[in-house]
Amino acid sequence: MNSNDNQRVIVIGAGLGGLSAAISLATAGFSVQLVEKNDKVGGKLNIMIKDGFTFDLGPSILTMPHIFEALFKGAGKNMADYVQIQKVEPHWRNFFEDGRVIDLCEDAETQRRELDKLGPGTYAQFQRFLDYSKNLCTETEAGYFAKGLDGFWDLLKFYGPLRSLLSFDVFRSMDQGVRRFVSDPKLVDILNYFIKYVGSSPYDAPALMNLLPYIQYHYGLWYVKGGMYGMAQAMEKLAVELGVEIRLDAEVSEIQKQDGRASAVKLASGDVLPADIVVSNMEVIPAMEKLLRSPASELKKMQRFEPSCSGLVLHLGVDRSYPQLAHHNFFYSDHPREHFDAVFKSHRLSDDPTIYLVAPCKTDPAQAPAGCEIIKILPHIPHIDPDKPLTADAYWALRERVLVKLERMGLTDLRQHIVTEEYWTPLDIQAKYYSNQGSIYGVVADRFKNLGFKAPQRSSELSNLYFVGGSVNPGGGMPMVTLSGQLVRDKIVADLQ
């Protein structure tokens, strides 16, 4: 008999972090119950079918597939039997106001041709930058990812002070790290915008975030066949096969405590679920406020883990195709510094935002009716600031500004071709997912506030309470939150021993 068999684990929230934790713990022999307030699993990896269009409401991109494969392999299964993934090429298409269009591609020769558009030495600079990016990634994978290091002191202990300082380029921002190698302003903008994976500013984030380009080039960029939500369904199927009990429409109202430990989870329905261990996929600060009723002194310690940005999310079904788009596209601000400062410093809606645009029908035409396509638009905007709330009119005016910009940059008559639309502001994101102040990516990466670290996975208040998801290490995005579920299993097993 496995020594973990009699340990009852309640996992709160069935986002990818919660699903991954439930699968990893069930694989290790724990008895796991997963409770989710919404009507389906997946958290921000969500789906909506409307007027014949299938919208992936959350992530639109998959990187680091080996992290997902490890989850299935750990359970003795093959991921390909549950979900199919396919490469996306080109990775991104980058549109600039002067009409220049540059692709990021996997093939080195094609990439060289694309970057030659920016001048003769640009590809060589890019290669030197990628070598630097690779070093950052290799160091990070060895400790921070593999060992689940949970803060700066863990980092120093694992790597040693000198190696920590040298290996992670700790005295520079991400933007300064890029500019060490790259002089062309357009390529600087492109590499800086890899920060979109973690919803932060390249001017404030630590240079360590420059590992992101190497991750994308090394592990590839992927799409889940049939729509991104297929990954949530695959993980749900695996969890059920492993004996995880999943309860949907089951909102948690309280984590009950006794003698410095979590003793049970109380549902809004009044049901009380006794627990030996509790894992929360609800973000740390909202969970402390709503479920733990943490004292002000505990919440004050968490202030440095400020929320990442939010987004204005437009899902458009249009009755035509835009052949100039790739699957993933960026339409750049002519004033990137002002855009990031508006979002992260003054908490304003940017006058000229950089726009992320996804056209999934380029890879998967079945997501829309014949002759139509999906245009998903996501400019980054400030998280909800209770001291400076933005009005519904201000959000709607930004929608108009964004659509006008896209029309000017080549998407002719976009507004005239919209046949269906789903429109979300940070208030919708907060209400749906209980994310901290409408944040999309968990905790902001800021070298002065938190050195780029997220909150620790172990609760500082209760000895048997743990956290997973984008608000804790190793951070936001599909692979990192999935990795957090695997790392929390390792911490729980180590703590029990």
Side-chain angles (χ1 to χ4, degrees), residues 160-223:
L162 190 62
R163 188 169 153 209
S164 296
L165 296 179
L166 296 176
S167 301
F168 296 115
D169 199 7
V170 295
F171 297 113
R172 289 186 181 90
S173 69
M174 183 178 182
D175 172 71
Q176 288 165 344
V178 170
R179 289 174 194 273
R180 282 175 68 189
F181 302 94
V182 174
S183 58
D184 182 87
K186 285 186 171 61
L187 186 54
V188 169
D189 283 353
I190 289 169
L191 294 173
N192 271 346
Y193 219 77
F194 272 83
I195 199 65
K196 73 140 199 113
Y197 279 118
V198 295
S200 303
S201 165
Y203 306 104
D204 302 325
L208 175 60
M209 292 298 122
N210 284 315
L211 60 80
L212 293 167
Y214 178 74
I215 284 176
Q216 181 167 304
Y217 276 89
H218 182 61
Y219 293 111
L221 207 57
W222 302 80
Y223 173 76

Side-chain angles (χ1 to χ4, degrees), residues 36 54 90 92 101 131 183-184 192 235 240 253 256 278 292 305 388 418 465 493:
E36 165 58 51
T54 303
W92 296 351
V101 179
D131 289 342
S183 58
D184 182 87
N192 271 346
M235 289 166 72
V240 170
S253 60
Q256 297 185 338
V278 175
L292 289 171
F305 301 119
K388 287 165 55 177
I418 298 169
L465 171 63
V493 169

Side-chain angles (χ1 to χ4, degrees), residues 31 33 66 87 125 167 224 276-277 286 299 305 325 395 431 463:
S31 166
Q33 198 170 12
H66 64 285
K87 281 202 167 169
Q125 291 185 356
S167 301
V224 176
D276 298 303
I277 295 161
L299 286 164
F305 301 119
L325 294 174
Y395 288 129
S463 61

Side-chain angles (χ1 to χ4, degrees), residues 392-430:
D393 287 347
Y395 288 129
W396 191 255
L398 176 65
R399 171 193 177 274
E400 191 68 7
R401 208 151 63 237
V402 162
L403 294 176
V404 167
K405 173 174 171 145
L406 291 172
E407 289 177 347
R408 187 180 70 243
M409 292 178 75
L411 300 192
T412 311
D413 296 333
L414 177 59
R415 285 169 295 175
Q416 276 75 63
H417 289 283
I418 298 169
V419 292
T420 191
E421 176 175 351
E422 183 75 1
Y423 165 82
W424 286 29
T425 72
L427 298 162
D428 300 305
I429 295 164
Q430 184 185 44

Side-chain angles (χ1 to χ4, degrees), residues 255-439:
I255 295 172
Q256 297 185 338
K257 331 167 192 178
Q258 201 175 347
D259 304 326
R261 293 174 61 80
S263 57
V265 165
K266 186 178 182 185
L267 303 183
S269 64
D271 289 4
V272 175
L273 312 176
D276 298 303
I277 295 161
V278 175
V279 177
S280 173
N281 190 188
M282 188 172 175
E283 287 188 30
V284 178
I285 291 172
M288 289 173 71
E289 290 168 343
K290 293 188 173 87
L291 305 184
L292 289 171
R293 324 281 197 272
S294 298
S297 58
E298 286 293 331
L299 286 164
K300 193 163 187 244
K301 290 180 200 165
M302 306 300 287
Q303 277 176 341
R304 68 187 185 278
F305 301 119
E306 191 182 305
S308 77
C309 69
S310 188
L312 189 81
V313 195
L314 298 178
H315 291 91
L316 309 179
V318 298
D319 61 5
R320 61 157 290 182
S321 172
Y322 286 96
Q324 69 270 48
L325 294 174
H327 189 132
H328 297 286
N329 310 270
F330 290 89
F331 291 79
Y332 285 89
S333 171
D334 237 2
H335 308 95
R337 185 91 199 211
E338 286 90 330
H339 162 66
F340 281 108
D341 284 352
V343 175
F344 293 95
K345 296 269 196 290
S346 52
H347 292 180
R348 288 186 302 105
L349 296 174
S350 172
D351 297 325
D352 175 29
T354 290
I355 299 162
Y356 176 41
L357 186 152
V358 189
C361 296
K362 301 301 179 205
T363 302
D364 189 357
Q367 299 298 95
C372 299
E373 80 170 319
I374 288 167
I375 305 283
K376 173 182 179 166
I377 299 167
L378 178 66
H380 282 166
I381 63 174
H383 62 72
I384 298 163
D385 182 344
D387 299 327
K388 287 165 55 177
L390 294 161
T391 64
D393 287 347
Y395 288 129
W396 191 255
L398 176 65
R399 171 193 177 274
E400 191 68 7
R401 208 151 63 237
V402 162
L403 294 176
V404 167
K405 173 174 171 145
L406 291 172
E407 289 177 347
R408 187 180 70 243
M409 292 178 75
L411 300 192
T412 311
D413 296 333
L414 177 59
R415 285 169 295 175
Q416 276 75 63
H417 289 283
I418 298 169
V419 292
T420 191
E421 176 175 351
E422 183 75 1
Y423 165 82
W424 286 29
T425 72
L427 298 162
D428 300 305
I429 295 164
Q430 184 185 44
K432 185 78 176 165
Y433 306 120
Y434 289 172
S435 67
N436 191 18
Q437 294 173 265
S439 147

Side-chain angles (χ1 to χ4, degrees), residues 63-73 79 85 141 145 215 218-219 222 479-480 486:
T63 56
M64 306 181 85
H66 64 285
I67 288 175
F68 300 87
E69 283 159 358
L71 199 59
F72 289 84
K73 200 172 170 186
M79 187 170 94
I85 61 174
E141 287 189 319
F145 293 168
I215 284 176
H218 182 61
Y219 293 111
W222 302 80
M480 292 299 101
Q486 297 167 42

